[in-house]
Every structure is written in structure tokens, then in C-alpha cells.
Amino acid sequence: HFAMKLALVTAALLAFSAPAQAQMMLTTPEEIAAVARGFGAASVQTSSTGSPILNGTIEGTNYGILMYGCDGTRNCESVQFFATFTGRGRDLEHLNTWNEDQRFGTAYINQEGRIFLHWSANLDYGITRQNLIDSFDIWRLTLAEFVTHLDG
């Protein structure tokens, strides 16, 4: 009886794990760009260091995605969403208020006075398409809220 129960439990676990594996995507730059295009224009280029970088627009705001740990043009381990803003006249205190209140998207001012917003996401070992879509939606909302914060 024990062997039969073990076999049934093992079969049930395999049945439940198979659909999750089938939904995993490889997290290539082109697969990331395909999801990005569902939110607006997006294209993949190569950065000066040879890494893939995505440039896109969501609801009128330009952004980029740096891709890290990619095996050539495949299997990126993580991404960093970012956007830059100039001419907003905001100080560090205003950005710190944002950073204190927000979970997604960290803001800072670089040495040239440009404002940056960035957010990193882990893709190591794959990610489902739906999870990546959700990450883009979080970025879309974060960008919109940040623009409102800058203008407020």
C-alpha cells in the first residue's frame, strides 16, 4: 500500500508542476520586448558595452530597460527599468519624499542634475509571461505616479 500511495502522490505532484513549467519563458531580449510592445512602442538595441537595452514609451513617457546577465541574446538574469527626467526643477528632498512612500521605483538625482527613476526585477530561472506583463503594468503605474509627483 505504501508504494502505491507514494506513486499516486508523485503522479499528482508531477501533474500540478507540469503546467507551471510549460508557462515559463526564456526571458530573452526579444521576448521582453514583445511584452513591452503591449504597453507601447519598444525596440531592442545594443548598449556601448554590448549588452541588450530596450528603449520604449509608455503613456507618453520614455523609458529604458537594462538587461543583465544575458547569455548572448538569451536568458537574461535580471532587468532594470529606468526613466530619466530633465528640467523638472526638483530637489533631493522632493525625491526623498517619493522614496519614503513608494515600494516600486527609486528616484535620485545624478551629478549632472538629471532625475532618474529605476526599478529592478529578477528573471533568473525564467518567469511566466503573465508575471512579466504584471511587472510592466507595475512599471506603467509607477511611471505615471512619479510624473504626477514631479509635477506636483
Side-chain angles (χ1 to χ4, degrees):
H1 289 292
F2 177 74
M4 179 64 96
K5 287 180 182 179
L6 182 61
L8 288 173
V9 169
T10 302
L13 288 173
L14 289 174
F16 284 115
S17 66
Q21 289 176 346
Q23 295 174 359
M24 296 305 277
M25 53 191 289
L26 291 175
T27 65
T28 68
E30 280 307 318
E31 288 171 322
I32 294 167
V35 171
R37 288 183 193 108
F39 291 85
S43 64
V44 176
Q45 282 117 29
T46 303
S47 73
S48 59
T49 63
S51 298
I53 183 171
L54 182 141
N55 292 308
T57 304
I58 293 179
E59 297 177 351
T61 302
N62 294 328
Y63 72 97
I65 298 178
L66 301 173
M67 301 180 194
Y68 295 100
C70 303
D71 178 16
T73 59
R74 300 180 40 191
N75 301 333
C76 300
E77 294 175 353
S78 64
V79 294
Q80 184 178 64
F81 294 79
F82 73 94
T84 60
F85 303 87
T86 56
R88 298 293 179 132
R90 292 300 179 182
D91 60 13
L92 194 55
E93 184 177 339
H94 192 75
L95 297 183
N96 283 342
T97 301
W98 166 268
N99 290 332
E100 288 176 12
D101 295 337
Q102 297 299 316
R103 185 170 156 215
F104 298 101
T106 302
Y108 66 93
I109 300 174
N110 73 357
Q111 291 179 342
E112 290 83 35
R114 289 188 300 171
I115 297 171
F116 281 79
L117 178 70
H118 68 88
W119 174 53
S120 296
N122 178 32
L123 308 178
D124 212 4
Y125 304 108
I127 186 172
T128 65
R129 180 173 180 79
Q130 189 57 45
N131 188 271
L132 188 57
I133 289 168
D134 190 51
S135 293
F136 270 92
D137 197 42
I138 290 169
W139 178 243
R140 177 188 65 81
L141 294 169
T142 301
L143 272 178
E145 289 175 20
F146 187 69
V147 167
T148 299
H149 181 77
L150 283 179
D151 294 341

